Structures are given as structure tokens and as C-alpha cells.
Amino acid sequence: MSSSSSSVTFENPRKVVKKVLSLSQSEGDGATVRRSIGRHELRNLDPFLLLDEFSVSKPAGFPDHPHRGFETVTYMLDGAFTHQDFSGRKGTIRTGDVQWMTAGSGIVHSEMPAADGVQKGLQLWINLASKDKMIEPRYQELESKDISQAEKDGVAVRIIAGEAFGVRSPVYTRTPTMYMDFTMQPGSQLHQPIPEGWNAFVYVIEGEGVFGKENAAPASTHHCLVLGAGDGLSVWNRSGAPLRFTLAAGQPLNEPVVQQGPFVMNSRAQIQQAMEDYYYGRNGFEKASQWSSA
């Protein structure tokens, strides 16, 4: 799965089949996020459960809260966030850094601004298959300088997961996933292969571009574009300013999704079990009651 920014014709090019403007909503403690995936217009896009663009200043943030059954991928666009969890782990991710957290059987953690001013980033939730929902939690953390990068014909890419321009990310994706951050200069074009059968979307961070077909209407900042079936995506930047967007695609799990807040399982009974485990401190939540980030 390599890619080229020069002229490539896909046998079955992916077109935009749904366009959702992310809207601001309150989350955490005094924080505001712009949510696209996870709203009623786009409940989920198997295997993706949620996409938030956050913009948070002290003292707001995301204090102690649990997760079970999926992964969270936090990508800092500007600023810094400090993460702590109930196993004693603590670290700060800064502009351009990625934290890929597999919650598995259970994590209780906090995510709080680590600097003055506005801290901006994206958080993507990726579902885990039923066989992986109760695995041990794990982290993959990459500093900005360690993220795979490539550039060609006016298109630069930071490869969080997957492969672009023949360059591959070192991140292991338990649920097969590609996730990249593209910046396209005015007049450039991109033709990025995407595995057939995977669900895919684009999120526009900055600027505006033409996605999917040459005569499509331009899409601008804060829009999430769901892509239809096909083997690749074409993008054109016909504006006079840089275009920045993320492209994510994942292999659908095709399993039931039952979500209750921070728990995502396959049945109501498993959700009830997760809530009881968290409340009573069992099955992965043993340290929950004794721990506080404060």
C-alpha cells in the first residue's frame, strides 16, 4: 500500500458520501470539543467510534475517568496535555506527539492541559474486536520527531499509522488502521491508496480542498467527510493557502457495538459487567478506588 502524489487513476476512486460539520459541545470538566463521529448524524463508522477536536485551557480538562473495550488515539496539534493513570503512569504529550492507548480490560486516567493558553488536538476512538476487549492495557507513544514523515510534489505527510509515499509508521494497530496528517500546498494534488473494504474518513483541520472527484464542491475546516467504497482517495488543493487534513481508514469489525459512556462492548450484559467491575474494583479495575490523579 504505497502512494503517489502525481497523476494516478484509481480503478474505483472513493467519493465523499457524507459530510458532517463538527459542532461544539461540553465534555469533561469545563472543556469544549468539536465532535463529528459519535454524534447522532454519524453515530460510528466501524471500527471508529468517536472523533473529537479539542480546544482546552486551564483549569478545564478531562479529570479521572474510566475506559474499557477500545483504543484512544490522542494527536496534539498545538500545546501540551499531561496524562496520568491508575497504574502510576504519567507523561506529557506536546505539539505533534501521539499517544495510542489500548484501554482493553480497563484504564482509569486523567488528561489535563500542561501549559498556559489553548491546547488543541484530536482524539480518535477505535473499537477493539470482541477477542481483544479484555486484553491488558498498553501504550504506544511517539514524540513528534519520531513520527514517520514523507514529502512529494508539494504534499507533506505525517504517518501516524499505516503507509504513505512508501514510508511506514512503526505503530502496531490491533484493529488494522491507517491514520495520517497531510498538508498540501496550493496547486498540489494527492492520490492515496486505501485498502478496499475498509471504512475511511477525512477531517479538515485547516484550509479547504476538493475531495474524491475533481468537480466536487470544496470542503473546509471542521468538516468530517465519510468516503464511499473504493481503492483510493484523490484530493486537489485549488485554493491559495495550504490545506491540512487527517485521513483515517480501518478494517470494519462487523460486530455489535453497545456503548455506555466510556465503556464499549458487544452486549448490554457486558456493559453492566463493566459498570459493576468499575464500581467494585474487579477484572482490571482493581486499582480504581485507591487512585486519584490529584
Side-chain angles (χ1 to χ4, degrees), residues 19-274:
K19 185 176 176 180
V20 176
L21 176 63
S22 61
L23 296 179
S24 295
Q25 65 180 66
S26 297
E27 200 61 56
D29 183 2
T32 300
V33 302
R34 296 187 72 115
R35 182 162 297 169
S36 47
I37 300 173
R39 291 221 330 271
H40 62 88
E41 298 97 321
L42 188 55
R43 180 54 59 197
N44 51 58
L45 183 66
D46 188 12
F48 304 111
L49 302 163
L50 176 144
L51 178 66
D52 280 349
E53 178 185 1
F54 58 85
S55 186
V56 183
S57 303
K58 292 178 180 178
F62 308 97
D64 305 1
H65 59 280
H67 292 296
R68 172 181 280 180
F70 61 100
E71 300 183 299
T72 68
V73 183
T74 306
Y75 182 42
M76 290 303 299
L77 298 175
D78 189 31
F81 250 68
T82 292
H83 168 275
Q84 299 182 61
D85 77 17
F86 68 177
S87 67
R89 187 183 183 96
K90 181 177 181 178
T92 299
I93 55 172
R94 305 181 188 281
T95 303
D97 296 352
V98 172
Q99 182 199 71
W100 197 295
M101 183 186 84
T102 304
S105 60
I107 283 275
V108 180
H109 72 162
S110 66
E111 301 156 291
M112 302 295 289
D116 294 330
V118 181
Q119 322 302 310
K120 298 179 180 179
L122 299 173
Q123 187 168 94
L124 177 65
W125 290 13
I126 305 173
N127 203 6
L128 287 169
S130 55
K131 65 181 176 60
D132 293 328
K133 284 189 175 293
M134 294 297 287
I135 61 174
E136 284 285 311
R138 70 189 295 253
Y139 291 88
Q140 298 175 86
E141 291 173 329
L142 285 178
E143 292 185 9
S144 181
K145 64 181 176 59
D146 298 321
I147 291 178
S148 302
Q149 301 185 48
E151 192 166 352
K152 186 175 181 181
D153 300 336
V155 180
V157 60
R158 293 166 53 81
I159 307 154
I160 300 166
E163 183 179 321
F165 300 152
V167 178
R168 175 165 284 278
S169 163
V171 168
Y172 170 68
T173 59
R174 193 169 291 275
T175 299
T177 306
M178 59 184 283
Y179 189 23
M180 358 200 119
D181 173 8
F182 285 99
T183 299
M184 298 179 60
Q185 296 305 314
S188 64
Q189 58 180 281
L190 166 73
H191 305 280
Q192 171 65 40
I194 300 170
E196 295 220 39
W198 287 23
N199 286 326
F201 70 90
V202 160
Y203 188 76
V204 184
I205 299 170
E206 185 182 344
E208 67 170 37
V210 175
F211 295 84
K213 55 182 183 177
E214 289 201 66
N215 60 349
S220 58
T221 309
H222 306 307
H223 279 92
C224 181
L225 312 175
V226 179
L227 305 178
D231 54 358
L233 171 69
S234 294
V235 186
W236 297 266
N237 182 1
R238 300 208 181 101
S239 75
L243 163 67
R244 186 180 183 190
F245 62 92
T246 58
L247 168 64
Q251 189 173 63
L253 298 172
N254 297 315
E255 294 181 351
V257 176
V258 182
Q259 180 174 351
Q260 181 76 42
F263 306 126
V264 183
M265 303 301 288
N266 300 112
S267 69
R268 292 297 319 168
Q270 289 172 342
I271 291 290
Q272 184 64 36
Q273 183 69 54

